[in-house]
Amino acid sequence: MKQHFQNLVDEEEAVIDLTPMLDVVFIMLIFFIVTASFVKESGIDVNRPEAATAVKKDRANILVAISDKGEIWINKRRIDVRAVQANIERLHAENPQGTVVIQADKKATTDTLIKVMDSARAAGVFDVSIAAQEP
């Protein structure tokens, strides 16, 4: 009887409970997903103008591209000029610390550029930059 009791005690000690470890792993996974900053692209390649004073901008999460034909692209979708403000408001709500960077082609009209800048400011984002490349 005593030997049988000793075997039961040994079997209970040999069991490892993995539940707390799984809880920690899932909490860490949720933490990294929430704090991750995903890179967003405008959707088209733009031939940016050169600027001697171009500075790299960190936390540029809202990218708006203007093609040489005046098309506006946000998140790989072509957007009408009247919908730019709503899209920027939505993206700014997702990431309040993000800034707007407008990637305008060399041949894009200033009229389209000004409309996009006005839409960004109307959406509540006042940190608006225009992308350029170093010469």
Side-chain angles (χ1 to χ4, degrees), residues 46-51 53-57 60 62-66 99-106 108-110 112-118 120-121 126-134:
V46 176
N47 190 12
R48 294 178 288 176
E50 293 180 355
T53 58
V55 178
K56 185 171 172 44
K57 187 86 168 167
I62 304 170
L63 297 177
V64 181
I66 303 173
T99 61
V100 173
V101 174
I102 301 171
Q103 300 171 323
D105 194 273
K106 287 180 185 180
T109 62
T110 55
T112 307
L113 178 63
I114 297 299
K115 286 180 182 176
V116 171
M117 290 177 71
D118 283 344
R121 290 193 179 115
F126 297 99
D127 192 0
V128 180
S129 302
I130 299 172
Q133 62 186 7
E134 295 178 8

Side-chain angles (χ1 to χ4, degrees), residues 30-108:
I30 291 169
F31 173 77
F32 287 121
I33 289 173
V34 169
T35 59
S37 176
F38 297 103
V39 176
K40 296 185 175 155
E41 296 182 11
S42 57
I44 59 171
D45 288 332
V46 176
N47 190 12
R48 294 178 288 176
E50 293 180 355
T53 58
V55 178
K56 185 171 172 44
K57 187 86 168 167
D58 293 331
R59 292 191 328 209
N61 294 87
I62 304 170
L63 297 177
V64 181
I66 303 173
S67 71
D68 56 347
K69 297 176 183 85
E71 299 170 335
I72 300 169
W73 291 77
I74 300 175
N75 281 347
K76 299 179 183 174
R77 291 184 302 136
R78 186 174 173 195
I79 305 293
D80 187 64
V81 72
R82 296 174 298 231
V84 171
Q85 180 179 344
N87 279 279
I88 292 176
E89 284 175 350
R90 179 180 53 83
L91 293 170
H92 186 63
E94 291 174 7
N95 188 1
Q97 286 82 25
T99 61
V100 173
V101 174
I102 301 171
Q103 300 171 323
D105 194 273
K106 287 180 185 180
K107 297 177 182 173

